[in-house]
Every structure is written in C-alpha cells, then in structure tokens.
Amino acid sequence: MQKTLHRPVPWGRGGANAMLFGLALGFLSGAFGSWGCAGLSRGLCLFAQNILGLHNIPRQFFLQVYHTFQRIGETRAGDALLGLVCLAVLVGLRVMKGHIPRIHRVELLSVRISRLILWATATARNALVVLFAGLVAYSFQLMGSQPFTLTGETPQGLPPFQLPPFSKVEANSTVPFSEMVQDLGAGLAVVPLMGLLETVAIAKAFASQNNYRIDLNQELLAMGLTNLLGSFVSSYPVTGSFGRTAVNAQTGVCTPAGGLITGTLVLLSLAYLTSLFYYIPKAALAAVIICAVAPMFDARIFRTLWRVKRLDLLPLCVTFLLCFWEVQYGIVAGILVSGVLLLYTIARPRIKLSEHGVLLMQPVSGLHFPAVESLRDAMHRWALAVSPPRCVILDCTHVSSMDYTMVMGLADLLQEFQKRGVTLTFSGLQNHVLQVLLSADLEGFQHFPSMEEAEKGHGAELDGRRRVLLHSTSENMLPASGLIQ
C-alpha cells in the first residue's frame, strides 16, 4: 500500500531518479541474491513494539531486543493476549487451508458448500482476524475501557491531484527548484537506489518461493513510472514492501489484478472508512504481518550451502546479520560481498596445465583485465622461470570474450617469450575473439584452429597420451604461489 502525504513534495524525489536507476541497473540486478531475512527483521520489529504493547522502543534491531527485555515488565496484558490469540487463529486457519480436500462434483451440495465456506474463511483469514479484533476493541470502547493499543486517527480524504511543485514559499521568500534539489543532497540518489535494492530483493525472494520468473527491467521501470505519477498526488517514494507482499502471497494473490483490487480498496477506505480504522488494534496488525513474513525464512538454505558450496555462506551470513541492523545495509553489503567473490573468480580464472612435448595451458573461462596478472604469473612460473624456458600452447577453446587490457597483457607476454627464445602459440580461438587479437596486430602472434595442429606445428609426437601436471578442481589444490585454480 502506498502512503500519501497531504502536501506537495519535489518532483525529483523519487520518480525520474527511480526510473533512470531502473534503466541503468536493470541488467545488473540479475546478479542480486534472494534474501528472506529482511522480512523477518521487520516482523520482529512489529512483534516487539505492537504485540507486547511497548512504546518508544528504538527501531534498530539490536537496541530493540535490549530495550524489549529491559522493559518486559511494562508489557500490556491486553495487547499481548490479543496478539497471541490472533497468531494462533491465523496459524490454525493457514494449516486448515492446506488440509481442505478438493471439491468434487459428485459430492453432496451441502458438503461442497461447507468446504467452500471453509476455504473462503481460511483464505480471507487476515481480513477476518483484523475485523474480529476491531469489533472486540470497539466493544471495550463502548464499555468505557480500552485494554488495547489502537491505530488511532487516520486523516480522511484523498490527496489533491496537481502538478508537483517546482518552487515553494518559506518565510516570505521563494525557494527555487535548484535549491530544493540541493536540499535533498545525497538523498536524491540514495532514496531511489535503496528502493531499487529492496524491490529487487523482495521480487527475487518471492519468485524463488513460488517458482516463477520475473523481468527485473520491467519491475524497475514500473517502479520509476509509479514514482513519477505518484508525485502528482504528493506520495512518498514508492518501493517494494516485504510485509505487504507477504500478506498478499499468504492471502492467495497470484496475479497483478490483486494490486488493482488492493488499490481500489485503499482509495475507497481513505475516502469513506478512515473513521473505522481508529478501532483496529496494532497487535492484530502485527500478528498478520508476522504470520505472513515468518514462512519466508528458510533455515535449510544454510545447510544446503554448507553442503554445496561453503563460500556462498559468506554473503548470506553478512546479509542476514546486517539486515537486523537495517535492511538496506544488509542488502548493499550482500551485493558488495557477492561482487567481490565474483571479481575474484574473474581475476583468478581456472587454468588446466598439461604436457605433451610443449606446455599446454587451457583457461576454462573468459579472459578479462583482472586476470592479466594471474595469467602472467602462471606463464612465468611454469614456462619462463624454468630452465630451460618452455614453449606454451594457450588453448582458448573455452575463452568466449577478451578485453583490451588482456590483449595488451598478451602482447607483453609474446615479447617476453621471444626474448627467451621460445614461442607462445594460440589455438582454438573463437572467431570474434580471434578478430580482436588480429585487429591488435600483435608481434609474433601465431594461431592454429585446433590444439592438435598447434602441437604438430611445434613438432610434438602424437601418441594420444598426456601427462597431467596440474588440473585443479577445488580451491584446496591451488599452487602455493601461482593462484591457479
């Protein structure tokens, strides 16, 4: 649900920046991981503040835990009891929905109707629990006592539809648009960026949970356009919401039509029903959010990553822990750690070494500028630093791309090989990679279509056997100084 303000906000706050960031980062967001701990931390915040009925507790998670235990004696019995009851009812209805048998036409009409009623009740459990809690709170209000913390007054009416302001009047002076942008400062970039990160993380988390694909470019473009249009109704910056998305998912929403229905209900409620929101207990709302978010946390991922690839636990644990501080910090840290690990694999490509008269080196991935030093070290260690120096065939069968810096690094290596009186020969280059090297006009460059032809060119005997010097398949087999995987 989008929050609204009954005052104009600068046009540049969310719309244009969000759309531009979306277009620029859409291709990059495919590398973002899926994190469920963000929603869990939000659910814990609601639990501490609302179900226990505690007030003025810091938002930061660790401080919240400390102050919650410190002030546990101030817990409001009414809020705690209502919250626990709502939690129990929601969990019970959720379990019941999973055990309702399918309706068959051969069954009696009364049986089919009863099962349909049970299914509708379980599906609409969130609305029913909030309605029931509101009726209970209203009953206590009529009796002159109120044991619950209520939502309170909600401003009624819709915000006016108008052009976003490009200036504002303060203290008998007019602030131009340029100064309004300067006042926003770094927030002009930070707010859209954080919104994009949260939106991508939420979308990928629910996509993995429900086995469907998402078009991140479309998601980010839609968010940018939403912020642009939202500026005409003085809206807050719009981003993905883990709690609201989880509530929709638990309710059974499967298509974007759910957003249209939700938006219509929100507009009707703001126009006509805000007076009824006063009696909704916060403990009931907290119970709904917790029940919706809690199933998103899958502890089995830790065991799975430990078994499959332990290094992937690093970005997961960093993200998980920092999300308890701030969700945005956790997501950014997770992306940075994942980026570092990704850059490491690019900078230290796996290289297979084998011997057949000459030294055969076979990179198993693309060669880009971070890998220049790694390849140079491998060449020096296994070919140039030995006595006598050895000829090398660089098998590029698996090399699908090569950048300018790598080409210049290969040019330096060719010169070093020529100074030592040995040759560096290339084989198996793909056409587009070969064109890159030919365009560079490298001195001493030799290429053969296949490794066998390159071996013949060096006069090696072909007996069909190779003595493998090194073929590392795990990080534990790295040479001490060569960093060859």
Side-chain angles (χ1 to χ4, degrees):
M1 182 176 65
Q2 178 181 334
K3 298 180 180 179
T4 56
L5 290 172
H6 290 278
R7 61 178 179 81
V9 296
W11 173 84
R13 174 164 294 186
N17 287 343
M19 186 170 65
L20 291 176
F21 269 106
L23 291 173
L25 298 179
F27 73 96
L28 181 62
S29 57
F32 294 174
S34 301
W35 306 287
C37 52
L40 181 63
S41 66
R42 294 304 190 200
L44 291 173
C45 291
L46 288 171
F47 177 80
Q49 295 185 19
N50 296 320
I51 286 189
L52 298 181
L54 301 178
H55 302 281
N56 301 322
I57 291 182
R59 174 185 173 87
Q60 203 274 327
F61 177 77
F62 298 105
L63 291 177
Q64 186 180 87
V65 172
Y66 171 76
H67 285 279
T68 298
F69 282 102
Q70 184 184 45
R71 299 171 52 189
I72 197 70
E74 302 176 17
T75 300
R76 293 171 60 97
D79 286 324
L81 180 61
L82 179 63
L84 293 175
V85 169
C86 291
L87 281 173
V89 172
L90 289 169
V91 172
L93 290 175
R94 183 172 180 268
V95 173
M96 184 182 71
K97 182 181 179 181
H99 291 81
I100 298 177
R102 294 178 62 87
I103 299 176
H104 301 284
R105 293 183 178 275
V106 296
E107 295 176 327
L108 295 176
L109 180 61
S110 58
V111 175
R112 285 186 287 169
I113 293 177
S114 62
R115 289 182 181 175
L116 182 61
I117 293 175
L118 288 176
W119 177 85
T121 301
T123 301
R125 58 187 179 275
N126 295 326
L128 293 177
V129 165
V130 172
L131 179 62
F132 168 78
L135 292 175
V136 172
Y138 181 71
S139 301
F140 277 102
Q141 189 79 9
L142 293 179
M143 292 187 295
S145 63
Q146 189 54 261
F148 310 124
T149 302
L150 304 181
T151 301
E153 294 288 345
T154 303
Q156 186 172 2
L158 301 176
F161 186 86
Q162 58 187 4
L163 287 173
F166 291 89
S167 63
K168 60 180 179 180
V169 178
E170 287 185 355
N172 298 325
S173 62
T174 301
V175 179
F177 179 73
S178 58
E179 291 187 15
M180 295 169 65
V181 173
Q182 292 176 2
D183 290 340
L184 291 174
L188 199 63
V190 173
V191 171
L193 180 59
M194 291 298 100
L196 293 177
L197 295 180
E198 284 194 280
T199 300
V200 169
I202 293 166
K204 292 180 74 69
F206 280 91
S208 62
Q209 286 280 334
N210 298 282
N211 300 318
Y212 64 86
R213 296 187 61 190
I214 57 174
D215 186 345
L216 293 177
N217 288 316
Q218 181 178 344
E219 293 286 335
L220 300 180
L221 181 60
M223 196 185 76
L225 291 175
T226 302
N227 278 282
L228 278 174
L229 296 176
S231 65
F232 289 89
V233 291
S234 305
S235 74
Y236 279 114
V238 179
T239 66
S241 169
F242 208 115
R244 297 184 187 100
T245 306
V247 171
N248 272 351
Q250 292 297 314
T251 304
V253 174
C254 299
T255 69
L260 296 176
I261 296 175
T262 301
T264 302
L265 292 176
V266 168
L267 293 177
L268 292 176
S269 299
L270 287 175
Y272 305 108
L273 303 177
T274 52
S275 60
L276 300 179
F277 295 165
Y278 180 92
Y279 300 101
I280 298 178
K282 291 185 177 181
L285 297 176
V288 170
I289 299 296
I290 291 174
C291 284
V293 168
M296 293 299 301
F297 181 72
D298 185 9
R300 294 174 298 179
I301 188 63
F302 292 93
R303 184 173 64 252
T304 302
L305 289 179
W306 179 265
R307 184 176 66 252
V308 176
K309 190 174 183 181
R310 297 176 183 178
L311 188 60
D312 287 343
L313 282 170
L314 180 60
L316 176 64
C317 292
V318 169
T319 305
F320 179 82
L321 294 176
L322 288 182
C323 273
F324 288 111
W325 180 20
E326 283 291 342
V327 174
Q328 296 89 336
Y329 298 157
I331 294 175
V332 172
I335 293 173
L336 292 177
V337 173
S338 299
V340 170
L341 296 178
L342 181 62
L343 286 175
Y344 178 81
T345 60
I346 297 176
R348 297 293 184 267
R350 295 191 176 197
I351 301 176
K352 176 182 176 180
L353 300 183
S354 58
E355 182 185 10
H356 194 154
V358 294
L359 185 64
L360 307 178
M361 304 186 68
Q362 184 183 60
V364 297
S365 62
L367 294 176
H368 298 88
F369 71 90
V372 171
E373 292 302 322
S374 178
L375 183 62
R376 188 193 304 272
D377 291 341
M379 294 280 189
H380 277 271
R381 180 181 181 185
W382 298 101
L384 298 177
V386 299
S387 182
R390 310 183 61 185
C391 297
V392 174
I393 298 177
L394 187 62
D395 182 11
C396 299
T397 304
H398 303 296
V399 176
S400 60
S401 59
M402 189 178 297
D403 60 19
Y404 174 79
T405 305
M406 175 56 69
V407 173
M408 294 298 100
L410 292 176
D412 295 337
L413 284 173
L414 285 171
Q415 293 179 3
E416 293 185 34
F417 272 81
Q418 288 180 347
K419 291 178 182 178
R420 302 293 181 90
V422 290
T423 59
L424 171 60
T425 305
F426 298 80
S427 70
L429 285 167
Q430 300 181 25
N431 289 334
H432 61 281
V433 179
L434 177 60
Q435 290 300 322
V436 171
L437 293 174
L438 292 176
S439 300
D441 194 19
L442 302 180
E443 182 180 355
F445 174 71
Q446 299 181 60
H447 169 257
F448 294 89
S450 66
M451 190 164 54
E452 288 75 15
E453 296 183 24
E455 290 173 344
K456 290 180 180 179
H458 282 273
E461 295 181 2
L462 299 175
D463 58 357
R465 295 181 301 173
R466 291 173 184 167
R467 180 163 57 89
V468 176
L469 300 178
L470 173 67
H471 184 188
S472 169
T473 57
S474 67
E475 290 78 5
N476 296 329
M477 297 179 63
L478 291 176
S481 60
L483 292 176
I484 300 178
Q485 295 186 357

